[in-house]
Amino acid sequence: MNRAHRSQLREILLHVTAVRNDLEKLHWEIGEDISINKSMAIRDHTYAKFLESKMLGVQGFMGKGET
């Protein structure tokens, strides 16, 4: 990686870090009692469980027609 690319990457990482910090501040300001990382993990887990339940529902429905 040449010097110009490293400089651009460093600049991008600084912007990403600033945005992440702003999101963290907003998250606390709106009254969340947990960090943004934990909140996102809960959201992802909940969404995965939702998709899993939908898939099981479809499989169950399809299974009834096959018997």
Side-chain angles (χ1 to χ4, degrees):
M1 187 180 289
N2 67 29
R3 186 180 207 150
H5 286 119
R6 283 194 305 263
S7 178
Q8 288 173 340
L9 181 59
R10 191 174 345 193
E11 189 68 27
I12 290 169
L13 290 173
L14 287 172
H15 287 293
V16 168
T17 301
V19 168
R20 183 179 176 87
N21 289 339
D22 290 344
L23 283 174
E24 187 72 34
K25 288 176 191 173
L26 286 171
H27 191 76
W28 286 99
E29 284 178 14
I30 62 172
E32 291 290 334
D33 292 334
I34 57 176
S35 71
I36 190 101
N37 289 336
K38 187 162 187 156
S39 178
M40 291 172 68
I42 291 168
R43 183 205 63 206
D44 292 345
H45 178 74
T46 303
Y47 184 66
K49 287 293 186 184
F50 169 75
L51 289 179
E52 182 181 312
S53 70
K54 287 294 186 186
M55 289 303 296
L56 290 174
V58 168
Q59 290 171 354
F61 178 74
M62 292 174 67
K64 289 179 185 177
E66 293 174 356
T67 56

